[in-house]
Amino acid sequence: MKWLLLLAIILVIHELRNQWPVKGLYYINSMKLDEFTGSSRIKLIDIREAPDYYKNHIEGSIHIFVGRLPFVWANHIQPGDEIVLLGRNRRSIHKAARILRKRAGVNTNIAAHLFTPHMKEGGEEIDGKAEVNHCVV
């Protein structure tokens, strides 16, 4: 019984950590993202899975799946880079932001954008377009 209670406490702490806000991370909307896409000093990092990335991605973004981020971040990101994270959910964006803060020492702005497909009443996606709320770290 004590083991179950301990396991439950560990799981609750783990979930709280995943949902806890990341210091310096903020979300931006589609209009703000459009401003970032034209800048050469800001890197757009798409952390979604490959099929989602190839189906609908922003031109010029770099695809690094969040599971590969701890291993390949140095190929694309330098400390001090300004980054916009493009992800499917807050959990993956928070995980990527924590990885970048820890491994890359990224202390400048990190923004995040959530891809949420526009839906018709029947639940169909409209033109493969996505509405985005971005998060900046």
Side-chain angles (χ1 to χ4, degrees):
M1 186 66 171
K2 290 181 182 180
W3 290 106
L4 288 175
L5 181 59
L6 181 62
L7 180 62
I9 290 171
I10 290 171
L11 289 174
V12 167
I13 291 171
H14 179 72
E15 274 304 308
L16 285 174
R17 184 177 185 275
N18 285 333
Q19 297 302 322
W20 201 262
V22 178
K23 184 179 179 181
L25 181 70
Y26 63 94
Y27 288 84
I28 58 175
N29 61 22
S30 297
M31 293 185 333
K32 187 71 170 175
L33 179 66
D34 291 341
E35 293 175 23
F36 287 153
T37 55
S39 175
S40 61
R41 64 184 180 85
I42 295 175
K43 295 186 178 178
L44 302 174
I45 307 295
D46 196 321
I47 58 171
R48 297 176 299 154
E49 293 184 13
D52 292 334
Y53 173 78
Y54 289 114
K55 181 179 178 185
N56 181 19
H57 68 277
I58 296 173
E59 197 66 37
S61 64
I62 301 166
H63 179 246
I64 306 175
F65 176 61
V66 71
R68 298 288 304 147
L69 194 57
F71 308 105
V72 299
W73 65 268
N75 296 339
H76 304 284
I77 302 168
Q78 301 299 318
D81 284 347
E82 292 191 40
I83 298 168
V84 176
L85 295 173
L86 308 169
R88 176 64 78 185
N89 56 49
R90 290 181 186 268
R91 182 181 200 152
S92 62
I93 288 172
H94 287 185
K95 182 176 182 178
R98 285 188 181 98
I99 290 168
L100 290 175
R101 288 229 183 264
K102 182 178 180 181
R103 306 247 172 137
V106 176
N107 291 321
T108 58
N109 293 336
I110 297 176
H113 177 79
L114 293 172
F115 279 92
T116 330
H118 289 292
M119 303 301 269
K120 293 182 183 177
E121 284 185 17
E124 299 172 28
E125 192 172 330
I126 299 174
D127 299 329
K129 294 183 180 177
E131 176 57 42
V132 191
N133 287 318
H134 308 280
C135 178
V136 178
V137 179

